[in-house]
Amino acid sequence: MEYIHMVYAVFAPLIFAIIIPFLSRIKHKVHTGWLILPVPLLIFIYFLQFVGSDFETARQTIDWIPSLNIALDFYLDGLSLLFALLISGIGTLVVLYSIYYLNKEEQLGHFYTYLYIFMSSMLGVVLSDNVFVLYTFWEFTSLSSFLLIGYWHYREKSRYGALKSMLITVLGGFSLLGGVILLTIETGTTSIRGMIEQADLIVNSDYFLFILIFLLLGAFTKSAQFPFHIWLPDAMEAPTPVSAYLHSATMVKAGIYLMARFSPIFSEVPLFFIILSIFGLVTLAWASYMAVRQTDLKGILAFSTISQLGMIMAMLGFGTSYAVFAAVFHILNHATFKGSLFMVAGIVDHETGSRDIRKLGGLMTFMPISATLAIFGTFSMAGVPLPFLNGFYSKEMFFESALDLGGYSGSFIESLITVIPIIAVVGSIFTFVYSMYLFFGTFRGEYKESELPKKPHEAPFMMLVPPMLLVIGVMVIGLFPNMFNQALITHSADAVYGDEVAKDIKFWHGWDSPAFQMSLIVVAAGILLYLTKNKWHHIYRVIPGRFNFNRVYDWMVEKIESVSNRITTAYMTGSLRLYMILILTAIITITAGAILISDGFNFEVQDLAPITAPEVIVASIMAIAAIGTTVARNRIAAILILGVVGYGLAILFVMYSAPDLALTQLIIETVTVVLFLLCFYHLPNLTTNNNSIVHKGTNVLVSIGYGVLMLVIGVTAYNSRFADTISNFFMENTYELGGGHNAVNVILVDFRGIDTLFEVAVLFGAALGIFAMIKLRQDKGAK
Amino acid sequence: MKQSNDLILRTTTQIIAFMLLGFSVYLFFAGHNAPGGGFIGGLMTSAAIILMYMTYGFEKIEKIIPINFRTLTVTGLLIAVLAGMGSMLFGASFLSHADGYYHLPLIGEKHLATALIFDLGVYLVVVGITLTIILSIATDSEDESNQNVGV
């Protein structure tokens, strides 16, 4: 099927993002949110038409960079459809919610622009079939998330949270790029479906381990898996609609999506199973354990999100058809109840002025509707076995899939399989505890009037509508799970599993079902732990205690800065002598190394001219003068001795019959000596204070090394001629072509006149420079 | 540059400066067939002018040779470039030269080459820059010493 509308659906929010700043100019008349609310709603309705048991995949391709095989290739299968519905559906609710959450004094234009950029890019991520397009949208989600977390940029914690999430997710983004590049090289295609078709090739390739690790890193950082989960709690500094949308329902599931999308490739690999299960379960257990410790409502929800994402990740790792189905089902369930919980937390914050659970309590009488909404959300999250809570179904399926693992062999995997249900139960017990704590701590107990900045009251009705709709979703899925099953979930699970998955969602499995017994254990132990919470709560001082991943992150960021600062200050001292030594040493080591490695030194004697006495004499005088220059104490003396070298060179030119060179050398040498004297006469009498042995030693070493290197290169170059010189041509044609007898001059003005032209221009530039430096000084007194 | 009071220097300079100037012109014209050319010729001319400056002082020579040497440099560069571009008028590539024998009045049959025009440019640039550099530095230090005296 060819649908031409998909591209509009993806880019519509982005296009509207362009006009949002103009709309926000009239925000004092109409809240900007109302004006743009139809956009996600229409996208939702558009995607809704695909839902049905007769679902067919759809695709649409638009050329972008044909030469690199990169096209905007949108492909809609069950998994993409589920995510697209979540993104547009919850997006609509979040925009509606934010209309009441953000007042008109805020910078609404910024908020909605960032939010719609995010919406577009998230839709792009889930609909792209081209890995590079997927990566592009992926980075856009990181960027817009960064902007949204830092929305209240005048708060320091917002900036800290935004930077942290940026650094961690971009780290993952880059490794994802590495992964998709390797995949493209291996398979020769940029299409995800094309890669899935060549799964065997990828699994057997030499780069397979890199591909797997790169993609896992990308997914783990984005989906806040252990130990990259630390950015998510700090991202709670964002406005609550953002937390509800990005950090519970959509963006954090991008990593889940990535794993689900590529799992047909990896599902047969034991390593994939091991890594995903272990990290998923550790994330589940650790984050649910940590969530109990939090005092901030959104902090609890952040760790809860991490833990639920770990659960989904683990189920994807299990890879059985039942587990995949449960994972996909839980993606939907988690989005509904977590979105509603965030919105309720935002309402509590908005209406009482505090999110600190220690200050809250007894709000049920003030906010009955919010409390009712929260009870559904928290109980569904906890997996309380009631038929109208969708969380229970997926929790039950999670236990069932954790018990029913197989297909892999090996002693490590076997012991892992026995441990998995235990960790699952432990993690779920803590999930239960924090869910109860979240509800009863906020809405029950005694009302602490003095602690709250505002007198609490119920939120405006329209603000309650979005969480209400989500809770209705929770209940509808809970009451009629099979209604979604055939129309939506099965198609998604098929896409992930790569084969037909047909499952019934049953509420009642019977008393003897092990999964149900596990659920009962969770509930019983959870109630017990919650009631005795104050007795064991001090355990958090031991674990994690001082051990904290935030400290590791802060330490790393600080170390990277301080170490790079130290490295830079170590060699960027501002001392020209040091730079000179570094440059020369680099030349010596690299060139000498190249000569040594390639065995390039070439020394032959048969081609050499005989040495005559005058040459020896002149050369010795020059050598003595050169050495004299280095040891001369007086600066003027050194200049004069240097002149001897120059005149010696002129004599050598005479001996080798180069009269033009000799003449020029003589005059230029005179001029330079005179100029040197002129300049140095005016210089202050600086004393060199670096006379230590080390300083002199390195100087001597480097200069001797450089001299020897040049000698070696000279000798080698002389002995390694690969072609005849072209001087013969000049000697023969000077008169015929150039009309002169002086070959040097004819070459200078005729054969290679352009060199001369620009050398003259160089001299001109030098003269202008000197003139400008001397005559045009601002401060005449400066030396 | 203050005027020198050395009588011997002033007398010998009168002769030597002209010899130097003459030699530099010879070097310039001889360049095509013998050692010499625009570069050496230019340097030699500058040497002669500097000698005059050293002997007779700045103000006097500036009156005698009323040339702005920076303008001279630009003129020389312009001549060199135009000499190169001239060949393009005849459809040849940049900096192509032609030569031939011509009968000139007074000096008779002579071998002339367009390379000479290019060399003239080089000559003027070299004279210009050498004198610009040396006179800049020399007059600058003179200013400073005057200032010091004034203080």
Side-chain angles (χ1 to χ4, degrees), chain A residues 660 682 735 739 741-742 745 749 760, chain B residues 31-34 36 97 101 111 141:
Chain A
D660 291 277
H682 295 286
Y735 191 74
H741 292 291
N742 182 347
N745 211 6
V749 300
V760 170
Chain B
H32 223 49
N33 295 318
H97 289 301
Y101 288 88
H111 178 205
S141 52

Side-chain angles (χ1 to χ4, degrees), chain A residues 659-660 663-664 667-668 682 735 738-742 745 749-750 753-754 757 760 763-764 767 770-771 774-775 777, chain B residues 31-37 39-40 43 70 73 77 80 95 97 99 101 111 118-119 125 129 136-137 139-141 144:
Chain A
D660 291 277
L663 270 174
T664 316
I667 300 176
I668 286 293
H682 295 286
Y735 191 74
H741 292 291
N742 182 347
N745 211 6
V749 300
D750 197 333
I754 204 149
L757 184 64
V760 170
L763 287 175
F764 174 60
I770 289 171
F771 179 76
I774 288 173
K775 297 287 183 192
R777 276 191 307 218
Chain B
H32 223 49
N33 295 318
F39 197 80
I40 303 165
L43 282 174
R70 295 190 296 286
T73 317
L77 212 53
L95 270 176
H97 289 301
D99 64 290
Y101 288 88
H111 178 205
F118 182 74
D119 233 8
V125 175
I129 56 154
S136 302
I137 295 175
T139 52
D140 179 65
S141 52
E144 266 174 29

